[in-house]
């Protein structure tokens, strides 16, 4: 048996000590998600769900390293003296694309790692293929940076923009754009996931796959098992986690090929959960398009109740006002998920506090979810885009806990997306939030 197969089996079996769950897509006594049949005999027993209370949480050293990096103060002392004896999985900790700080995003390996770190909810960003099947990818047009597609000539040729090498003499950068809608589901499943990166000055397809940021790692990038949306549902059920699928905004004109509308796409995503027998209370469907959220609210209300409106627009007087928030609520939106910087600001003492945006959202009765911690790389330079409103208060990696603390205690978010869920899991357990749903 190949070494990579043995390693993957070991990874799975270290997590699944006893049980799993069945699904409508399964066949036979030992079911594995479609496309993963080569591990069929090693997949957990489908007759039992892997109960989240029995799932062991493995934090690793990072959360404790971050605590030691914090400035001295009450929060550091509290975290240093954490008395959480039995770490619990928590819905407060949401795996953003899995655990992409170190694992290729939206791959089975990334999802398993996030579940091991105690994430109670995992995210599959949902895009569609040429034959209108749903798959887990952060964007419809990111295959050239998140998979090995440009190194496969017959599939590279199908890309919207096949790979074109850079010209070092003129300084012209390499070009490529490969979309899920360029290829069929079968072709998609033949790809391997990689760390999201590219080398703009690459002269070969193999060179183009490089470029991973030096604060991430290629240590776990040697394989990445891509999943369909349906496969992610079955895997998440097996892992004992809940679901937050994001309907990705298409880059192609809709209706796709004239007859696949945005509402068809939005309905199909929810239908996969209905077909799999998933409780709507375990699903938080997301979109940056308000029309998608309102479609779920009005046409699929059992799932629309927890539909999440994602917001990354620049702050204006209008879109941060109480009237704007109340209008969202009046239309049936219950959960708003802005980029974390929109909910934070600095007071006169340069301390991180809730923003007017956050205060108005809470006043309007909206629940809030934050994204994304541990995505900015080292924080000694101010934290980049994700911390743009609080840059002057961010100067070391341990400041991630200050951000999490204000979001949790002062803003009152119901969950936080993280690229490394162990950190948020640790905080939630230490601060008595592990049971928050």
């Amino acid at each position: 048996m190949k070494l990579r197969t043995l390693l993957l089996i070991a990874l799975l079996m270290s997590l699944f000590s006893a049980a799993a769950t069945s699904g409508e897509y399964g066949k036979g006594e030992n079911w594995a998600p479609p496309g993963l049949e080569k591990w069929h005999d090693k997949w957990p027993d489908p007759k039992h769900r892997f109960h989240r209370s029995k799932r062991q949480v493995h934090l690793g050293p990072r959360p404790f390293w971050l605590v030691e990096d914090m400035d001295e103060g009450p929060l550091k002392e509290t975290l240093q003296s954490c008395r959480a004896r039995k770490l619990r999985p928590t819905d407060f900790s949401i795996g953003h694309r899995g655990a992409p700080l170190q694992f290729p995003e939206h791959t089975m390996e990334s999802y398993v790692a996030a579940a091991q770190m105690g994430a109670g909810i995992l995210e599959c960003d949902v895009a569609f293929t040429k034959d209108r099947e749903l798959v887990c990818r952060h964007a419809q047009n990111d295959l050239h940076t998140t998979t090995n597609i440009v190194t496969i000539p017959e599939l590279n040729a199908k890309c919207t923009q096949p790979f074109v090498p850079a010209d070092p003499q003129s300084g012209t950068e390499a070009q490529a754009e490969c979309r899920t809608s360029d290829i069929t589901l079968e072709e998609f499943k033949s790809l391997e996931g990689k760390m999201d990166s590219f080398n703009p000055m690459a002269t070969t397809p193999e060179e183009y796959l490089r470029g991973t940021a030096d604060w991430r790692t290629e240590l776990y990038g040697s394989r990445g098992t891509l999943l369909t949306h349906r496969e992610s549902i079955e895997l998440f059920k097996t892992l004992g986690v809940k679901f937050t699928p994001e309907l990705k905004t298409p880059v192609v004109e809709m209706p796709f090929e004239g007859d696949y509308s945005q509402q068809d796409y939005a309905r199909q995503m929810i239908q996969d959960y209905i077909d799999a027998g998933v409780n709507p209370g375990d699903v938080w469907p997301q979109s940056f398009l308000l029309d998608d959220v309102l479609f779920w609210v009005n046409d699929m209300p059992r799932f629309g109740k927890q539909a999440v409106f994602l917001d990354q627009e620049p702050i204006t007087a209008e879109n941060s006002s109480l009237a704007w928030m109340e209008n969202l609520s009046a239309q049936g939106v219950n959960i708003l998920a802005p980029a974390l910087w929109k909910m934070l600001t600095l007071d006169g003492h340069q301390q991180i506090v809730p923003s007017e945006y956050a205060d108005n959202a809470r006043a309007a009765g909206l629940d809030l979810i934050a994204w994304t911690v541990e995505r900015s790389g080292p924080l000694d330079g101010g934290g980049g885009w994700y911390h743009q409103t609080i840059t002057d208060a961010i100067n070391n990696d341990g400041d991630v806990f200050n951000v999490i603390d204000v979001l949790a205690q002062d803003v009152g978010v119901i969950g936080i997306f993280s690229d490394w869920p162990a950190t948020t899991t640790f905080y939630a357990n230490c601060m008595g939030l592990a049971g928050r749903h």
Side-chain angles (χ1 to χ4, degrees):
M1 187 178 291
K2 292 184 179 179
L3 177 59
R4 59 181 294 176
T5 302
L6 290 170
L7 290 172
L8 183 53
I9 290 171
L11 176 65
L12 290 170
M13 296 309 293
S14 70
L15 177 63
F16 306 136
S17 58
T21 183
S22 61
E24 291 192 10
Y25 310 120
K27 295 181 180 180
E29 301 218 350
N30 282 339
W31 177 86
L36 306 180
E37 292 86 357
K38 59 185 174 180
W39 299 295
H40 181 276
D41 293 337
K42 298 297 183 180
W43 204 258
D45 181 353
K47 296 180 181 179
H48 304 91
R49 174 169 297 198
F50 187 87
H51 196 274
R52 60 192 292 130
S53 66
K54 298 180 180 179
R55 174 159 44 111
Q56 290 187 336
V57 174
H58 306 279
L59 294 179
R62 180 168 175 79
F64 309 99
W65 181 85
L66 290 171
V67 170
E68 292 307 309
D69 199 43
M70 295 176 67
D71 297 332
E72 299 301 323
L75 179 59
K76 181 174 182 176
E77 292 173 3
T78 297
L79 295 177
Q80 284 178 323
S81 61
C82 177
R83 294 292 184 266
R85 296 180 179 177
K86 183 178 180 181
L87 296 170
R88 299 168 55 192
T90 170
D91 293 352
F92 189 76
S93 179
I94 307 172
H96 179 241
R97 316 184 200 179
L101 182 64
Q102 295 193 30
F103 290 83
E105 64 185 45
H106 292 306
T107 62
M108 181 170 63
E109 292 79 6
S110 189
Y111 290 140
V112 170
Q116 287 180 313
M117 287 186 269
I121 303 172
L122 296 182
E123 177 188 48
C124 167
D125 290 333
V126 179
F128 59 85
T129 61
K130 185 175 181 61
D131 47 354
R132 304 177 189 185
E133 298 290 340
L134 302 184
V135 297
C136 297
R137 284 295 90 193
H138 174 63
Q140 187 181 35
N141 60 338
D142 73 0
L143 294 183
H144 51 292
T145 64
T146 64
T147 76
N148 62 334
I149 190 170
V150 298
T151 66
I152 305 173
E154 61 273 22
L155 297 184
N156 176 62
K158 296 183 178 184
C159 290
T160 296
Q161 171 59 70
F163 172 74
V164 176
D167 182 351
Q169 290 189 339
S170 67
T172 302
E173 295 186 352
Q175 300 178 53
E177 182 185 353
C178 302
R179 302 173 177 175
T180 58
S181 54
D182 289 334
I183 59 176
T184 66
L185 177 62
E186 182 179 3
E187 291 167 335
F188 174 84
K189 289 291 292 180
S190 72
L191 301 174
E192 291 187 358
K194 59 178 284 291
M195 296 298 286
D196 185 10
S197 62
F198 71 101
N199 175 6
M201 298 311 296
T203 58
T204 68
E206 289 73 21
E207 289 178 352
Y208 188 79
L209 300 186
R210 301 171 187 168
T212 299
D214 58 9
W215 46 270
R216 287 188 171 134
T217 180
E218 286 289 350
L219 189 61
Y220 305 108
S222 59
R223 65 176 185 272
T225 306
L226 302 192
L227 298 175
T228 69
H229 180 229
R230 287 187 171 192
E231 288 171 357
S232 79
I233 292 172
E234 295 303 330
L235 176 64
F236 294 1
K237 287 164 67 178
T238 300
L239 292 171
V241 301
K242 299 177 184 178
F243 316 81
T244 185
E246 181 188 334
L247 195 75
K248 300 307 300 186
T249 302
V251 298
V252 297
E253 184 177 350
M254 299 293 280
F256 178 59
E257 296 181 336
D259 62 353
Y260 183 65
S261 70
Q262 184 71 20
Q263 289 190 351
D264 292 333
Y265 177 30
R267 182 182 292 105
Q268 182 181 357
M269 188 183 86
I270 299 300
Q271 190 62 47
D272 280 350
Y273 292 92
I274 295 173
D275 293 344
V278 174
N279 185 334
D282 290 342
V283 184
W284 287 263
Q286 315 169 75
S287 179
F288 280 100
L289 300 180
L290 181 58
D291 284 347
D292 291 340
V293 175
L294 296 181
F295 170 76
W296 294 322
V297 167
N298 295 316
D299 286 59
M300 310 185 88
R302 294 177 65 224
F303 288 86
K305 183 179 180 181
Q306 292 188 159
V308 180
F309 178 38
L310 300 165
D311 180 20
Q312 64 177 351
E313 294 299 315
I315 291 179
T316 66
E318 179 182 2
N319 68 18
S320 61
S321 68
L322 178 59
W324 189 79
M325 303 294 181
E326 289 176 335
N327 182 54
L328 286 178
S329 180
Q331 294 180 81
V333 177
N334 294 318
I335 306 175
L336 181 63
L340 66 87
W341 60 266
K342 299 193 72 169
M343 292 184 283
L344 304 175
T345 190
L346 298 178
D347 65 14
H349 302 286
Q350 298 297 287
Q351 298 298 305
I352 303 172
V353 295
S355 67
E356 181 182 16
Y357 177 105
D359 290 340
N360 286 336
R362 293 301 307 276
L366 296 171
D367 285 330
L368 293 168
I369 295 174
W371 50 273
T372 303
V373 297
E374 299 204 81
R375 188 157 185 82
S376 297
L379 298 185
D380 56 2
W385 185 87
Y386 285 91
H387 303 83
Q388 58 189 275
T389 54
I390 55 172
T391 296
D392 290 344
I394 303 295
N395 58 28
N396 61 58
D397 288 330
D399 283 332
V400 66
F401 280 120
N402 296 329
V403 171
I404 292 172
D405 189 59
V406 175
L407 289 171
Q409 306 297 335
D410 300 328
V411 175
V413 299
I414 63 173
I416 298 178
F417 280 90
S418 175
D419 275 16
W420 198 247
T423 301
T424 307
T425 299
F426 171 73
Y427 175 88
N429 275 270
C430 286
M431 306 301 283
L433 302 178
R436 180 180 289 188
H437 297 283

